[in-house]
C-alpha cells in the first residue's frame, strides 16, 4: 500500500524534540486533509507505545474517564492502559486526541496532562476555530498549533515516485534560469495532473493506484458531500447562506475579476448579513479568502477591505469537480481542457485557485489589489496577489501562455515603486526575466 510522504511530518519531529513534553501539539486542517493518518503514523514510528482516541466515535467508557476520573491521574492512566491494552512508558508514549473538537472537555484538560509530564499529547481538529467548538472551555496555553493543508505539487510528485524533479525546479528558480523545453513540457504535464487530482490524500492515493480520473472524481464528490453534510450539521442558524456562498464559488471565479459579488446570490444581499457565513467557510478551511489590500504596504492586513474579497476553494482538485457537480464525470469539460492544454474560459479560475492554494501552504495570507478608477486610467488596475518579501511587497500576476501585455502590473510598479521587491508573472511557459519582471512557470509558485 502506498504511504504518502508529507512535509509536515518533519514539523512534528521538531515539536517532539524541542517541546520534550512541555506543550501539546494541535494539528488543524480541513476534513479529509490527512490529519488522522499522519498522527497515527507518527505515533507508531516515533514512540514506544501510543493510545489514539477518536472523539468522533469515542466509547462512553472513555469520555466518562475525562468527566469523572480525572482527579486521580494515576488511576486515569491505568484505566486508559487497560482499556486500550497498551503499556504506557514515561516520556516514551503518546496520546492522540483525534477530532478533539467533538469533545472539548479533553482539550481543556490538556493543561493538566502536560503539567503531569509523563506522556506527550497530539490533538487534531477540523472546524476547531468555530465558536461552537470552544464554547464553555478555557483554551489551554500549553498548545502549539500547526496547520495542515492538502498535498502540494512536490508531495504529489513524491506520491508518483518522483523525488528528483522538485529539487531541480528549485535550483532553476534560485538561479532564475529556464528548465528547458522538453523538461518544462513534462513538468507541466505532471502539474496538470496535479490540478485535476488535487491534494486531498484519498484522491491522490486513488490516482496513484488506478490512474483513473473518473475514480478520482468519485472520491472528490464524496469529500464535497462530506463538506455539505458538515455545513448542515455545524453552520447552525445560517446554513442557507453558507450553502449559497459555497455553491456559487465556481461561478464567481469564472468571472473576469473574480471578486465575490453577493448580488449573484440575491439582489438584496448585503455583506453584513453574509459576513458570518464567509467566516464559517474560512474557519472550516474549506475556502481560502483573499482580501483587497487598498494601500499596498508591508502591513498588508492594515488596509484589508473585508467587503471586497475573492473566495478560492482550498483544494483545486475539488474545484474542478465542484464546477460540474450536477453533471456526470463524462460531461466535465475541465478534465479534457486541462489535460490537453486547451483551457480557455476557465483558465484564469483554475490557475488563480492553484496559486492561492500554493501561497497559503507557503504560509502567506492572501491579498490582492483592485482599484476601479475609470476617470484616471493610470489608477485603474487589478493585481491578482500581493505577498511580502524581504520586508517589501511583491505583486504577482497570473497570465496565460499567450498573453500580450501586463498593463496593470506596469501601472502598479510605477505607482508603488518604492514599496516593491520583485514583480512576478506566473504563466504556462518557461522561466525568464523580461522588462524587470520575473516570469515563472506556474509550478514554481511553490517557491514564493
Amino acid at each position: 500500500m502506498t504511504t504518502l510522504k508529507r512535509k509536515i511530518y518533519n514539523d512534528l519531529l521538531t515539536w517532539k524534540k524541542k517541546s520534550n513534553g512541555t506543550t501539546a501539539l494541535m494539528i488543524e486542517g480541513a476534513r479529509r486533509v490527512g490529519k488522522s493518518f499522519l498522527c497515527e503514523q507518527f505515533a507508531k514510528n516515533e514512540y514506544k507505545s501510543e493510545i489514539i482516541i477518536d472523539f468522533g466515535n469515542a466509547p462512553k467508557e472513555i469520555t466518562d474517564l475525562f468527566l469523572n476520573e480525572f482527579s486521580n491521574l494515576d488511576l486515569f492512566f491505568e484505566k486508559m492502559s487497560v482499556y486500550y491494552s497498551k503499556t504506557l512508558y514515561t516520556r516514551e508514549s503518546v496520546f492522540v486526541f483525534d477530532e478533539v473538537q467533538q469533545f472539548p472537555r479533553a482539550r481543556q484538560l490538556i493543561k493538566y496532562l502536560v503539567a503531569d509530564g509523563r506522556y506527550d499529547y497530539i490533538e487534531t481538529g477540523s472546524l476547531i476555530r468555530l465558536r461552537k467548538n470552544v464554547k464553555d472551555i478555557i483554551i489551554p496555553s500549553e498548545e502549539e498549533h500547526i496547520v495542515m493543508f492538502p498535498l502540494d505539487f512536490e508531495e504529489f510528485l513524491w506520491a508518483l515516485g518522483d523525488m528528483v524533479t522538485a529539487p531541480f525546479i528549485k535550483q532553476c528558480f534560485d538561479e532564475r534560469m529556464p528548465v528547458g523545453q522538453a523538461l518544462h513540457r513534462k513538468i507541466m504535464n505532471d502539474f496538470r495532473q496535479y490540478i485535476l487530482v488535487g491534494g486531498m490524500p484519498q484522491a491522490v492515493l486513488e490516482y496513484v493506484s488506478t490512474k483513473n480520473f473518473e475514480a478520482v472524481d468519485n472520491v472528490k464528490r464524496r469529500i464535497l458531500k462530506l463538506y455539505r453534510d458538515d455545513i448542515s450539521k455545524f453552520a447552525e442558524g445560517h446554513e442557507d447562506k453558507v450553502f449559497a456562498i459555497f455553491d456559487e464559488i465556481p461561478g464567481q471565479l469564472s468571472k473576469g475579476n473574480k471578486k465575490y459579488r453577493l448580488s449573484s446570490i440575491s439582489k438584496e444581499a448585503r455583506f453584513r448579513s453574509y459576513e458570518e457565513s464567509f467566516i464559517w467557510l474560512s474557519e472550516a478551511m474549506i475556502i481560502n479568502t483573499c482580501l483587497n489590500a487598498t494601500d499596498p504596504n508591508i502591513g498588508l492586513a492594515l488596509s484589508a477591505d473585508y467587503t471586497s474579497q475573492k473566495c478560492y476553494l482550498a483544494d483545486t482538485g475539488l474545484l474542478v469537480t465542484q464546477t460540474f457537480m450536477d453533471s456526470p464525470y463524462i460531461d466535465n469539460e475541465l478534465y479534457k481542457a486541462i489535460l490537453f492544454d486547451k483551457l480557455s474560459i476557465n483558465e484564469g479560475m483554475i490557475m488563480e485557485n492553484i496559486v492561492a492554494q500554493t501561497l497559503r501552504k507557503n504560509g502567506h495570507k492572501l491579498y490582492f489589489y483592485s482599484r476601479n478608477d475609470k476617470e484616471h486610467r493610470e489608477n485603474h488596475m487589478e493585481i491578482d496577489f500581493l505577498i511580502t518579501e524581504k520586508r517589501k511587497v511583491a505583486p504577482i500576476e497570473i497570465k496565460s501562455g499567450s498573453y500580450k501585455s501586463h498593463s496593470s502590473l506596469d501601472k502598479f510598479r510605477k505607482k508603488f515603486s518604492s514599496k516593491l521587491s520583485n514583480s512576478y508573472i506566473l504563466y504556462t511557459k518557461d522561466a525568464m526575466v523580461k522588462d524587470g519582471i520575473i516570469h515563472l512557470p506556474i509550478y514554481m509558485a511553490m517557491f514564493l
Side-chain angles (χ1 to χ4, degrees), residues 300-328:
L300 291 168
L302 297 175
S303 68
D305 178 3
Y306 283 79
T307 65
S308 176
Q309 60 178 286
K310 296 189 277 190
C311 293
Y312 299 102
L313 216 56
D315 180 75
T316 307
L318 292 180
L319 177 65
V320 169
T321 296
Q322 190 194 14
T323 303
F324 285 84
M325 195 66 178
D326 295 332
S327 311

PDB file of all heavy atoms in Angstrom, residues 300-328:
ATOM      1  N   LEU A 300       0.145  44.449   4.952  1.00  0.00           N
ATOM      2  CA  LEU A 300      -0.999  44.330   4.038  1.00  0.00           C
ATOM      3  C   LEU A 300      -2.326  44.246   4.800  1.00  0.00           C
ATOM      4  O   LEU A 300      -3.342  44.759   4.347  1.00  0.00           O
ATOM      5  CB  LEU A 300      -0.822  43.109   3.142  1.00  0.00           C
ATOM      6  CG  LEU A 300       0.305  43.208   2.099  1.00  0.00           C
ATOM      7  CD1 LEU A 300       0.580  41.843   1.475  1.00  0.00           C
ATOM      8  CD2 LEU A 300      -0.031  44.226   1.025  1.00  0.00           C
ATOM      9  N   ALA A 301      -2.290  43.603   5.972  1.00  0.00           N
ATOM     10  CA  ALA A 301      -3.523  43.411   6.744  1.00  0.00           C
ATOM     11  C   ALA A 301      -4.118  44.746   7.207  1.00  0.00           C
ATOM     12  O   ALA A 301      -5.326  44.851   7.423  1.00  0.00           O
ATOM     13  CB  ALA A 301      -3.249  42.524   7.958  1.00  0.00           C
ATOM     14  N   LEU A 302      -3.275  45.775   7.338  1.00  0.00           N
ATOM     15  CA  LEU A 302      -3.746  47.054   7.878  1.00  0.00           C
ATOM     16  C   LEU A 302      -4.748  47.736   6.957  1.00  0.00           C
ATOM     17  O   LEU A 302      -5.590  48.501   7.408  1.00  0.00           O
ATOM     18  CB  LEU A 302      -2.552  47.988   8.134  1.00  0.00           C
ATOM     19  CG  LEU A 302      -1.540  47.508   9.181  1.00  0.00           C
ATOM     20  CD1 LEU A 302      -0.350  48.454   9.248  1.00  0.00           C
ATOM     21  CD2 LEU A 302      -2.209  47.390  10.555  1.00  0.00           C
ATOM     22  N   SER A 303      -4.656  47.464   5.642  1.00  0.00           N
ATOM     23  CA  SER A 303      -5.570  48.127   4.708  1.00  0.00           C
ATOM     24  C   SER A 303      -6.538  47.134   4.057  1.00  0.00           C
ATOM     25  O   SER A 303      -7.131  47.431   3.026  1.00  0.00           O
ATOM     26  CB  SER A 303      -4.775  48.859   3.619  1.00  0.00           C
ATOM     27  OG  SER A 303      -4.113  47.922   2.783  1.00  0.00           O
ATOM     28  N   ALA A 304      -6.672  45.940   4.662  1.00  0.00           N
ATOM     29  CA  ALA A 304      -7.528  44.908   4.057  1.00  0.00           C
ATOM     30  C   ALA A 304      -8.997  45.316   4.123  1.00  0.00           C
ATOM     31  O   ALA A 304      -9.505  45.699   5.170  1.00  0.00           O
ATOM     32  CB  ALA A 304      -7.332  43.583   4.781  1.00  0.00           C
ATOM     33  N   ASP A 305      -9.665  45.220   2.981  1.00  0.00           N
ATOM     34  CA  ASP A 305     -11.090  45.545   2.884  1.00  0.00           C
ATOM     35  C   ASP A 305     -11.886  44.238   2.871  1.00  0.00           C
ATOM     36  O   ASP A 305     -11.883  43.508   1.876  1.00  0.00           O
ATOM     37  CB  ASP A 305     -11.343  46.347   1.605  1.00  0.00           C
ATOM     38  CG  ASP A 305     -12.816  46.677   1.395  1.00  0.00           C
ATOM     39  OD1 ASP A 305     -13.639  46.333   2.281  1.00  0.00           O
ATOM     40  OD2 ASP A 305     -13.155  47.259   0.346  1.00  0.00           O
ATOM     41  N   TYR A 306     -12.541  43.950   3.987  1.00  0.00           N
ATOM     42  CA  TYR A 306     -13.242  42.667   4.122  1.00  0.00           C
ATOM     43  C   TYR A 306     -14.493  42.584   3.250  1.00  0.00           C
ATOM     44  O   TYR A 306     -15.011  41.507   3.006  1.00  0.00           O
ATOM     45  CB  TYR A 306     -13.604  42.419   5.596  1.00  0.00           C
ATOM     46  CG  TYR A 306     -12.414  41.970   6.406  1.00  0.00           C
ATOM     47  CD1 TYR A 306     -11.466  42.890   6.848  1.00  0.00           C
ATOM     48  CD2 TYR A 306     -12.210  40.632   6.700  1.00  0.00           C
ATOM     49  CE1 TYR A 306     -10.353  42.490   7.561  1.00  0.00           C
ATOM     50  CE2 TYR A 306     -11.099  40.211   7.430  1.00  0.00           C
ATOM     51  CZ  TYR A 306     -10.172  41.143   7.853  1.00  0.00           C
ATOM     52  OH  TYR A 306      -9.063  40.731   8.546  1.00  0.00           O
ATOM     53  N   THR A 307     -14.975  43.730   2.785  1.00  0.00           N
ATOM     54  CA  THR A 307     -16.178  43.699   1.941  1.00  0.00           C
ATOM     55  C   THR A 307     -15.825  43.433   0.477  1.00  0.00           C
ATOM     56  O   THR A 307     -16.694  43.221  -0.349  1.00  0.00           O
ATOM     57  CB  THR A 307     -16.947  45.034   2.028  1.00  0.00           C
ATOM     58  OG1 THR A 307     -16.136  46.082   1.482  1.00  0.00           O
ATOM     59  CG2 THR A 307     -17.306  45.358   3.469  1.00  0.00           C
ATOM     60  N   SER A 308     -14.527  43.468   0.164  1.00  0.00           N
ATOM     61  CA  SER A 308     -14.076  43.195  -1.208  1.00  0.00           C
ATOM     62  C   SER A 308     -13.122  42.009  -1.142  1.00  0.00           C
ATOM     63  O   SER A 308     -11.970  42.143  -0.741  1.00  0.00           O
ATOM     64  CB  SER A 308     -13.358  44.438  -1.767  1.00  0.00           C
ATOM     65  OG  SER A 308     -12.835  44.169  -3.039  1.00  0.00           O
ATOM     66  N   GLN A 309     -13.608  40.837  -1.484  1.00  0.00           N
ATOM     67  CA  GLN A 309     -12.792  39.637  -1.327  1.00  0.00           C
ATOM     68  C   GLN A 309     -13.035  38.638  -2.455  1.00  0.00           C
ATOM     69  O   GLN A 309     -14.047  38.674  -3.146  1.00  0.00           O
ATOM     70  CB  GLN A 309     -13.080  38.978   0.016  1.00  0.00           C
ATOM     71  CG  GLN A 309     -14.526  38.547   0.224  1.00  0.00           C
ATOM     72  CD  GLN A 309     -14.723  37.844   1.560  1.00  0.00           C
ATOM     73  OE1 GLN A 309     -14.313  36.706   1.727  1.00  0.00           O
ATOM     74  NE2 GLN A 309     -15.348  38.520   2.509  1.00  0.00           N
ATOM     75  N   LYS A 310     -12.035  37.766  -2.634  1.00  0.00           N
ATOM     76  CA  LYS A 310     -12.170  36.645  -3.565  1.00  0.00           C
ATOM     77  C   LYS A 310     -12.172  35.373  -2.715  1.00  0.00           C
ATOM     78  O   LYS A 310     -11.489  35.305  -1.696  1.00  0.00           O
ATOM     79  CB  LYS A 310     -11.022  36.626  -4.565  1.00  0.00           C
ATOM     80  CG  LYS A 310     -10.987  37.853  -5.472  1.00  0.00           C
ATOM     81  CD  LYS A 310      -9.972  37.723  -6.598  1.00  0.00           C
ATOM     82  CE  LYS A 310      -8.583  38.087  -6.184  1.00  0.00           C
ATOM     83  NZ  LYS A 310      -7.632  38.199  -7.326  1.00  0.00           N
ATOM     84  N   CYS A 311     -12.941  34.382  -3.136  1.00  0.00           N
ATOM     85  CA  CYS A 311     -13.026  33.120  -2.397  1.00  0.00           C
ATOM     86  C   CYS A 311     -12.558  31.982  -3.289  1.00  0.00           C
ATOM     87  O   CYS A 311     -13.201  31.670  -4.296  1.00  0.00           O
ATOM     88  CB  CYS A 311     -14.463  32.849  -1.947  1.00  0.00           C
ATOM     89  SG  CYS A 311     -15.043  34.013  -0.724  1.00  0.00           S
ATOM     90  N   TYR A 312     -11.437  31.386  -2.910  1.00  0.00           N
ATOM     91  CA  TYR A 312     -10.909  30.241  -3.646  1.00  0.00           C
ATOM     92  C   TYR A 312     -11.196  28.974  -2.848  1.00  0.00           C
ATOM     93  O   TYR A 312     -11.171  28.994  -1.610  1.00  0.00           O
ATOM     94  CB  TYR A 312      -9.399  30.379  -3.825  1.00  0.00           C
ATOM     95  CG  TYR A 312      -8.991  31.604  -4.612  1.00  0.00           C
ATOM     96  CD1 TYR A 312      -8.498  32.737  -3.972  1.00  0.00           C
ATOM     97  CD2 TYR A 312      -9.101  31.630  -5.999  1.00  0.00           C
ATOM     98  CE1 TYR A 312      -8.124  33.865  -4.677  1.00  0.00           C
ATOM     99  CE2 TYR A 312      -8.730  32.760  -6.725  1.00  0.00           C
ATOM    100  CZ  TYR A 312      -8.243  33.868  -6.059  1.00  0.00           C
ATOM    101  OH  TYR A 312      -7.882  34.991  -6.765  1.00  0.00           O
ATOM    102  N   LEU A 313     -11.437  27.871  -3.553  1.00  0.00           N
ATOM    103  CA  LEU A 313     -11.603  26.607  -2.841  1.00  0.00           C
ATOM    104  C   LEU A 313     -10.228  26.158  -2.343  1.00  0.00           C
ATOM    105  O   LEU A 313      -9.217  26.341  -3.032  1.00  0.00           O
ATOM    106  CB  LEU A 313     -12.221  25.550  -3.774  1.00  0.00           C
ATOM    107  CG  LEU A 313     -13.196  24.576  -3.111  1.00  0.00           C
ATOM    108  CD1 LEU A 313     -14.325  25.313  -2.411  1.00  0.00           C
ATOM    109  CD2 LEU A 313     -13.769  23.600  -4.128  1.00  0.00           C
ATOM    110  N   ALA A 314     -10.169  25.585  -1.145  1.00  0.00           N
ATOM    111  CA  ALA A 314      -8.888  25.243  -0.528  1.00  0.00           C
ATOM    112  C   ALA A 314      -8.136  24.174  -1.313  1.00  0.00           C
ATOM    113  O   ALA A 314      -6.919  24.063  -1.193  1.00  0.00           O
ATOM    114  CB  ALA A 314      -9.099  24.785   0.912  1.00  0.00           C
ATOM    115  N   ASP A 315      -8.846  23.403  -2.129  1.00  0.00           N
ATOM    116  CA  ASP A 315      -8.188  22.388  -2.959  1.00  0.00           C
ATOM    117  C   ASP A 315      -8.690  22.527  -4.397  1.00  0.00           C
ATOM    118  O   ASP A 315      -9.897  22.481  -4.650  1.00  0.00           O
ATOM    119  CB  ASP A 315      -8.481  20.985  -2.427  1.00  0.00           C
ATOM    120  CG  ASP A 315      -7.808  19.923  -3.285  1.00  0.00           C
ATOM    121  OD1 ASP A 315      -6.572  19.781  -3.170  1.00  0.00           O
ATOM    122  OD2 ASP A 315      -8.499  19.260  -4.078  1.00  0.00           O
ATOM    123  N   THR A 316      -7.775  22.688  -5.333  1.00  0.00           N
ATOM    124  CA  THR A 316      -8.153  22.940  -6.728  1.00  0.00           C
ATOM    125  C   THR A 316      -8.776  21.707  -7.372  1.00  0.00           C
ATOM    126  O   THR A 316      -9.664  21.827  -8.217  1.00  0.00           O
ATOM    127  CB  THR A 316      -6.923  23.434  -7.527  1.00  0.00           C
ATOM    128  OG1 THR A 316      -6.355  24.553  -6.835  1.00  0.00           O
ATOM    129  CG2 THR A 316      -7.311  23.858  -8.928  1.00  0.00           C
ATOM    130  N   GLY A 317      -8.333  20.529  -6.970  1.00  0.00           N
ATOM    131  CA  GLY A 317      -8.970  19.308  -7.480  1.00  0.00           C
ATOM    132  C   GLY A 317     -10.452  19.271  -7.128  1.00  0.00           C
ATOM    133  O   GLY A 317     -11.293  18.868  -7.939  1.00  0.00           O
ATOM    134  N   LEU A 318     -10.789  19.716  -5.911  1.00  0.00           N
ATOM    135  CA  LEU A 318     -12.199  19.779  -5.511  1.00  0.00           C
ATOM    136  C   LEU A 318     -12.954  20.816  -6.341  1.00  0.00           C
ATOM    137  O   LEU A 318     -14.119  20.616  -6.687  1.00  0.00           O
ATOM    138  CB  LEU A 318     -12.323  20.113  -4.021  1.00  0.00           C
ATOM    139  CG  LEU A 318     -11.848  19.045  -3.029  1.00  0.00           C
ATOM    140  CD1 LEU A 318     -12.049  19.530  -1.591  1.00  0.00           C
ATOM    141  CD2 LEU A 318     -12.560  17.714  -3.236  1.00  0.00           C
ATOM    142  N   LEU A 319     -12.276  21.935  -6.682  1.00  0.00           N
ATOM    143  CA  LEU A 319     -12.920  22.955  -7.515  1.00  0.00           C
ATOM    144  C   LEU A 319     -13.262  22.401  -8.898  1.00  0.00           C
ATOM    145  O   LEU A 319     -14.341  22.665  -9.433  1.00  0.00           O
ATOM    146  CB  LEU A 319     -12.004  24.175  -7.650  1.00  0.00           C
ATOM    147  CG  LEU A 319     -12.514  25.299  -8.567  1.00  0.00           C
ATOM    148  CD1 LEU A 319     -13.792  25.929  -8.008  1.00  0.00           C
ATOM    149  CD2 LEU A 319     -11.435  26.365  -8.770  1.00  0.00           C
ATOM    150  N   VAL A 320     -12.339  21.624  -9.470  1.00  0.00           N
ATOM    151  CA  VAL A 320     -12.583  21.014 -10.787  1.00  0.00           C
ATOM    152  C   VAL A 320     -13.843  20.156 -10.738  1.00  0.00           C
ATOM    153  O   VAL A 320     -14.685  20.202 -11.643  1.00  0.00           O
ATOM    154  CB  VAL A 320     -11.365  20.171 -11.230  1.00  0.00           C
ATOM    155  CG1 VAL A 320     -11.694  19.315 -12.450  1.00  0.00           C
ATOM    156  CG2 VAL A 320     -10.167  21.070 -11.519  1.00  0.00           C
ATOM    157  N   THR A 321     -14.007  19.408  -9.656  1.00  0.00           N
ATOM    158  CA  THR A 321     -15.187  18.540  -9.513  1.00  0.00           C
ATOM    159  C   THR A 321     -16.434  19.354  -9.185  1.00  0.00           C
ATOM    160  O   THR A 321     -17.511  19.113  -9.741  1.00  0.00           O
ATOM    161  CB  THR A 321     -14.925  17.482  -8.426  1.00  0.00           C
ATOM    162  OG1 THR A 321     -13.849  16.636  -8.860  1.00  0.00           O
ATOM    163  CG2 THR A 321     -16.156  16.621  -8.161  1.00  0.00           C
ATOM    164  N   GLN A 322     -16.294  20.331  -8.292  1.00  0.00           N
ATOM    165  CA  GLN A 322     -17.456  21.127  -7.887  1.00  0.00           C
ATOM    166  C   GLN A 322     -18.055  21.896  -9.065  1.00  0.00           C
ATOM    167  O   GLN A 322     -19.264  22.101  -9.136  1.00  0.00           O
ATOM    168  CB  GLN A 322     -17.084  22.101  -6.768  1.00  0.00           C
ATOM    169  CG  GLN A 322     -18.316  22.777  -6.146  1.00  0.00           C
ATOM    170  CD  GLN A 322     -17.968  23.975  -5.283  1.00  0.00           C
ATOM    171  OE1 GLN A 322     -16.858  24.486  -5.335  1.00  0.00           O
ATOM    172  NE2 GLN A 322     -18.910  24.425  -4.490  1.00  0.00           N
ATOM    173  N   THR A 323     -17.202  22.310 -10.007  1.00  0.00           N
ATOM    174  CA  THR A 323     -17.669  23.101 -11.147  1.00  0.00           C
ATOM    175  C   THR A 323     -18.716  22.341 -11.964  1.00  0.00           C
ATOM    176  O   THR A 323     -19.619  22.932 -12.543  1.00  0.00           O
ATOM    177  CB  THR A 323     -16.466  23.494 -12.037  1.00  0.00           C
ATOM    178  OG1 THR A 323     -15.521  24.200 -11.228  1.00  0.00           O
ATOM    179  CG2 THR A 323     -16.884  24.398 -13.187  1.00  0.00           C
ATOM    180  N   PHE A 324     -18.576  21.005 -11.995  1.00  0.00           N
ATOM    181  CA  PHE A 324     -19.527  20.184 -12.756  1.00  0.00           C
ATOM    182  C   PHE A 324     -20.241  19.188 -11.827  1.00  0.00           C
ATOM    183  O   PHE A 324     -20.542  18.066 -12.213  1.00  0.00           O
ATOM    184  CB  PHE A 324     -18.798  19.424 -13.875  1.00  0.00           C
ATOM    185  CG  PHE A 324     -18.419  20.307 -15.032  1.00  0.00           C
ATOM    186  CD1 PHE A 324     -17.251  21.049 -14.998  1.00  0.00           C
ATOM    187  CD2 PHE A 324     -19.234  20.409 -16.150  1.00  0.00           C
ATOM    188  CE1 PHE A 324     -16.888  21.872 -16.059  1.00  0.00           C
ATOM    189  CE2 PHE A 324     -18.897  21.220 -17.219  1.00  0.00           C
ATOM    190  CZ  PHE A 324     -17.714  21.961 -17.174  1.00  0.00           C
ATOM    191  N   MET A 325     -20.492  19.641 -10.598  1.00  0.00           N
ATOM    192  CA  MET A 325     -21.051  18.732  -9.583  1.00  0.00           C
ATOM    193  C   MET A 325     -22.411  18.161  -9.997  1.00  0.00           C
ATOM    194  O   MET A 325     -22.764  17.048  -9.628  1.00  0.00           O
ATOM    195  CB  MET A 325     -21.177  19.495  -8.253  1.00  0.00           C
ATOM    196  CG  MET A 325     -21.396  18.608  -7.054  1.00  0.00           C
ATOM    197  SD  MET A 325     -19.987  17.541  -6.692  1.00  0.00           S
ATOM    198  CE  MET A 325     -20.589  16.708  -5.214  1.00  0.00           C
ATOM    199  N   ASP A 326     -23.184  18.932 -10.747  1.00  0.00           N
ATOM    200  CA  ASP A 326     -24.536  18.478 -11.113  1.00  0.00           C
ATOM    201  C   ASP A 326     -24.549  17.627 -12.377  1.00  0.00           C
ATOM    202  O   ASP A 326     -25.609  17.192 -12.827  1.00  0.00           O
ATOM    203  CB  ASP A 326     -25.463  19.690 -11.307  1.00  0.00           C
ATOM    204  CG  ASP A 326     -25.654  20.447 -10.006  1.00  0.00           C
ATOM    205  OD1 ASP A 326     -25.551  19.819  -8.939  1.00  0.00           O
ATOM    206  OD2 ASP A 326     -25.874  21.675 -10.053  1.00  0.00           O
ATOM    207  N   SER A 327     -23.375  17.389 -12.969  1.00  0.00           N
ATOM    208  CA  SER A 327     -23.299  16.588 -14.196  1.00  0.00           C
ATOM    209  C   SER A 327     -22.442  15.356 -13.942  1.00  0.00           C
ATOM    210  O   SER A 327     -21.600  15.362 -13.044  1.00  0.00           O
ATOM    211  CB  SER A 327     -22.660  17.404 -15.324  1.00  0.00           C
ATOM    212  OG  SER A 327     -23.270  18.667 -15.432  1.00  0.00           O
ATOM    213  N   PRO A 328     -22.599  14.306 -14.733  1.00  0.00           N
ATOM    214  CA  PRO A 328     -21.726  13.135 -14.570  1.00  0.00           C
ATOM    215  C   PRO A 328     -20.295  13.475 -14.978  1.00  0.00           C
ATOM    216  O   PRO A 328     -20.055  14.438 -15.724  1.00  0.00           O
ATOM    217  CB  PRO A 328     -22.340  12.096 -15.524  1.00  0.00           C
ATOM    218  CG  PRO A 328     -23.179  12.870 -16.481  1.00  0.00           C
ATOM    219  CD  PRO A 328     -23.625  14.103 -15.756  1.00  0.00           C
TER     220      PRO A 328
END
